Amino acid sequence: MVEGSQKKNLINKKGLRVDGRKPDELRSTKFEIGLLEKAMGSAYVEQGKNKIIAAVYGPRETHPRHLALQDRALLRCRYHMAPFSVEERKRPAPSRREIELSKVIGEALEPAVFVDLYPRASIDVFIEVLQSDGGSRCASISVASLALADAGIPLRDLVASCAAGKVDGEIVLDLNDDEDKLGEADLPVALMPQSESITLLQMDGNFSQKEFESAFNLALKGCGQIYDLQKQALKEKYSIKKEVLEDLEGEKEE
Ligand code: ADP
């Protein structure tokens, strides 16, 4: 974040952003479910130039055993950026930022999981950022939530996540890398839409109270759009195709 609110020309005279989006427009986002054969559940997202894959293993026996929790499953999350995911090669070892994001993402996902159904077990969520373009924690939460659903783990709801922020003094949705670095503020939010529960709320930079309220409401709107896309991806993967239904009907009649 750049200190102060000096103009950086991140919004042009027509009111469009560096990538041509309107202030309240989400980046082009596409989810895909179940692309890894060996993981129990998996999902992939492209959100703008972000490319992120999530894989889930579990519930399974916890190793090392002393980490097992007697009353619920241990949800472990690892967020990792591939060395080639950013312009300059990133060191493959986990950075402080990745350790922090792993914790934050795990805490944003856990309220959605019925962890008390699996005492002493562990559920492992691995997130690999193949290409990073700002807002990767939000995209990671959304895609990991789909991977948990794909693994058949009982969930209260999906977790949909999106950030809003302030760029050139304007409140905008879903910041890309340039806006994240050169903008004035960023507000990542994660939501369980059914119960309207917030599972993540972070703030980087400064907002006035009024700006905070409009950024928060815009981020919630973004979460709603992400939720629709998540549900659509689940339906594409799991709804019974029309032709299969017709075949089944045919078999019944015979
Ligand atoms: P988020 O990805 O959730 O917005 P940050 O605000 O910490 O998380 O990071 C913003 C962006 O900065 C990332 O999405 C990524 O594009 C970029 N970034 C993070 N770490 C590095 C790094 N080691 N080298 C280059 N760019 C990085």
Side-chain angles (χ1 to χ4, degrees):
M1 293 297 152
V2 168
E3 285 296 312
S5 58
Q6 63 265 55
K7 286 259 173 200
K8 288 285 167 306
N9 292 327
L10 290 168
I11 298 192
N12 71 15
K13 285 187 189 128
K14 289 185 182 160
L16 299 179
R17 297 154 66 180
V18 279
D19 52 10
R21 279 183 294 154
K22 294 185 198 126
D24 63 351
E25 198 176 329
L26 192 74
R27 285 175 286 184
S28 160
T29 301
K30 193 172 157 276
F31 292 103
E32 207 181 316
I33 294 175
L35 61 167
L36 298 178
E37 206 175 290
K38 296 193 176 159
M40 289 173 187
S42 61
Y44 171 71
V45 65
E46 287 185 5
Q47 184 163 356
K49 292 182 192 150
N50 282 312
K51 293 178 188 231
I52 305 174
I53 196 158
V56 167
Y57 291 82
R60 61 182 178 181
E61 202 175 318
T62 302
H63 290 289
R65 280 201 176 179
H66 70 267
L67 292 180
L69 304 171
Q70 296 308 311
D71 58 341
R72 64 196 151 97
L74 173 69
L75 183 80
R76 286 187 288 209
C77 182
R78 191 192 79 146
Y79 164 100
H80 181 249
M81 283 171 88
F84 50 80
S85 64
V86 284
E87 235 150 90
E88 281 199 25
R89 177 186 177 275
K90 187 207 143 276
R91 288 173 64 156
S95 62
R96 282 179 62 159
R97 173 179 171 273
E98 286 166 302
I99 295 167
E100 182 201 325
L101 287 198
S102 299
K103 180 175 187 291
V104 162
I105 293 168
E107 286 173 3
L109 292 168
E110 188 163 336
V113 181
F114 283 99
V115 278
D116 39 347
L117 291 181
Y118 305 104
R120 295 179 296 281
S122 64
I123 299 169
D124 291 296
V125 181
F126 297 97
I127 295 163
E128 282 295 321
V129 179
L130 305 176
Q131 186 166 284
S132 183
D133 181 35
S136 68
R137 82 194 60 203
C138 292
S140 297
I141 292 168
S142 308
V143 74
S145 155
L146 282 178
L148 285 164
D150 186 46
I153 291 172
L155 300 176
R156 292 182 173 85
D157 195 0
L158 291 170
V159 185
S161 181
C162 191
K166 185 165 70 159
V167 163
D168 279 359
E170 240 191 89
I171 301 301
V172 298
L173 184 66
D174 189 21
L175 281 68
N176 66 24
D177 198 21
D178 290 337
E179 293 175 324
D180 193 322
K181 292 205 170 93
L182 301 170
E184 294 114 60
D186 183 25
L187 185 79
V189 174
L191 173 74
M192 290 200 295
Q194 297 284 345
S195 57
E196 297 184 337
S197 313
I198 304 291
T199 67
L200 170 94
L201 180 62
Q202 294 189 294
M203 191 169 108
D204 184 10
N206 295 316
F207 290 107
S208 68
Q209 189 175 334
K210 214 168 142 222
E211 284 168 343
F212 174 83
E213 280 165 21
S214 49
F216 182 60
N217 286 327
L218 189 58
L220 290 179
K221 201 177 131 198
C223 292
Q225 292 174 24
I226 293 285
Y227 190 52
D228 289 342
L229 294 167
Q230 287 173 308
K231 285 190 292 186
Q232 194 182 315
L234 276 172
K235 277 187 199 151
E236 265 164 38
K237 166 85 178 161
Y238 286 109
S239 59
I240 302 172
K241 303 263 178 311
K242 207 172 142 215
E243 310 85 76
V244 178
L245 273 178
E246 280 166 3
D247 281 354
L248 286 172
E249 289 295 321
E251 273 173 32
K252 244 195 254 166
E253 278 164 24
E254 274 167 24

